[in-house]
Amino acid sequence: MAGPAGSQSRMDSRTALRPLLLLAALTGLVSASSAVAAEPGVFGVWRNPKGSVHLEVRPCGASACGYVIWASDAAQEDARRGSGKPLVGQQLLQDFHPDGGGWRGKVYVPDMDRTFSGSARLLDPGRLEARGCLLGRVLCKRQVWTRLEGGAAD
């Protein structure tokens, strides 16, 4: 009996971490876009580590925001299961502002249909490091997103 319950617990744990990965990645993208005023190279299109989501980071008033412009079939299905909404066109990054050596803002995670706080920093002109935590500084995940040259899906 312990086997199936343990398996379910591991699956629940992995399912809970998936949104953290997306959150971390998205957080990084948004925060970088806010800093664009100081570093114009931050706005643009970024790809998550799995290559399953492309996010366009652009100015939104005094802050930065990010919209999904392309997503793999699997990423789209995950989002539909979580939020019931299509992933492409969703605003995932909201109100990102510079904060010390990085940025902070809100990240919408469609898989969970929830919004979380996130932070990010630009590693270099082609890479963004994003961190997201489920609860305070507990259950945190880090991702590095890569800039796409043409701004379109590969």
Side-chain angles (χ1 to χ4, degrees):
M1 292 271 177
S7 296
Q8 182 64 37
S9 177
R10 281 190 299 275
M11 286 187 355
D12 290 345
S13 177
R14 278 181 275 186
T15 301
L17 287 177
R18 186 180 334 174
L20 287 176
L21 294 175
L22 179 59
L23 169 65
L26 296 178
T27 301
L29 297 180
V30 170
S31 47
S33 55
S34 300
V36 122
E39 299 183 37
V42 180
F43 289 119
V45 178
W46 301 86
R47 177 184 65 224
N48 70 345
K50 286 184 166 183
S52 60
V53 174
H54 294 181
L55 191 75
E56 181 180 16
V57 177
R58 58 187 184 224
C60 291
S63 62
C65 60
Y67 290 87
V68 176
I69 62 168
W70 177 87
S72 69
D73 291 341
Q76 291 182 59
E77 182 56 32
D78 286 345
R80 263 192 295 278
R81 276 194 303 259
S83 68
K85 302 173 191 170
L87 182 56
V88 175
Q90 284 286 324
Q91 181 180 4
L92 302 182
L93 306 177
Q94 306 162 2
D95 287 335
F96 265 75
H97 299 301
D99 180 45
W103 300 269
R104 294 203 175 274
K106 296 180 182 182
V107 178
Y108 174 66
V109 181
D111 294 7
M112 297 178 73
D113 197 23
R114 295 192 55 198
T115 301
F116 297 93
S117 294
S119 64
R121 68 184 179 109
L122 190 62
L123 296 175
D124 59 46
R127 297 179 306 139
L128 287 170
E129 178 186 60
R131 285 182 46 95
C133 299
L134 193 56
L135 301 169
R137 294 185 185 258
V138 179
L139 295 175
C140 298
K141 191 64 182 177
R142 172 193 174 268
Q143 285 187 331
V144 175
W145 286 55
T146 305
R147 178 185 300 280
L148 292 177
E149 288 301 318
D154 293 342

